[in-house]
Amino acid sequence: KNESAAAAVPDGEASTNNNVKRKSRKRKQRDEQSKEDQPKTKAPRKKPQCSAEGCTKYPQRGGLCIAHGGKKKQCSAEGCTNQVRSGGLCIKHGAKVSTCIKDDCTNQAMLGGLCTKHGGNKKKMCSTEGCTNQVV
């Protein structure tokens, strides 16, 4: 059967099949040699941990995990751990905060330039007559 199969296949195709087998053998030999050159085991990589005492969570920013304030920027004033608002400072240390746009009101603005007393906490509603949906 082998002779009839070899006779049925043209010479060009039979030699191509043999070359493919040779290439795969050479590739296997190269791979085996490269494996012998590499060390058998690698040292396990040590994962960083949160710098808070007793915490084993992964750190985000400043060596701290999210639970210990790693995602938030802290006020640049000495000893202050409050969250930054603007200019690297918290509100307590001088970050500029917008105030309500109503006359004689000094409260902090929330939504649309208004404080909560003047409607800054309410979501805007659709202006179309009869519609009660909130504006996105």
Side-chain angles (χ1 to χ4, degrees):
K1 290 181 179 179
N2 291 342
E3 292 175 6
S4 63
V9 176
D11 291 337
E13 289 182 21
S15 63
T16 306
N17 290 339
N18 290 338
N19 289 340
V20 171
K21 288 181 183 177
R22 282 190 210 132
K23 285 181 184 177
S24 63
R25 282 187 209 134
K26 287 180 184 178
R27 213 175 278 139
K28 286 179 185 177
Q29 289 173 352
R30 258 188 278 140
D31 290 344
E32 288 174 7
Q33 287 175 353
S34 65
K35 286 179 184 177
E36 290 172 3
D37 295 340
Q38 294 177 353
K40 298 285 182 187
T41 57
K42 292 182 180 179
R45 188 173 174 190
K46 189 176 179 183
K47 291 183 181 179
Q49 290 183 340
C50 176
S51 59
E53 192 174 323
C55 183
T56 59
K57 294 179 182 176
Y58 192 77
Q60 298 295 316
R61 177 183 284 158
L64 296 170
C65 67
I66 293 172
H68 292 109
K71 279 273 193 186
K72 301 171 189 165
K73 288 186 181 181
Q74 291 183 340
C75 179
S76 59
E78 191 174 326
C80 183
T81 58
N82 292 333
Q83 186 176 355
V84 167
R85 289 300 224 170
S86 67
L89 297 170
C90 65
I91 295 171
K92 183 178 176 182
H93 290 106
K96 293 185 179 179
V97 181
S98 60
T99 56
C100 182
I101 56 174
K102 291 285 185 177
D103 292 334
D104 299 330
C105 185
T106 57
N107 293 334
Q108 183 179 350
M110 301 301 270
L111 183 67
L114 298 170
C115 67
T116 54
K117 280 185 180 178
H118 294 113
N121 59 344
K122 295 178 184 172
K123 302 225 177 190
K124 292 187 178 182
M125 302 304 279
C126 181
S127 61
T128 307
E129 193 174 324
C131 183
T132 58
N133 293 331
Q134 292 180 352
V135 175
V136 180

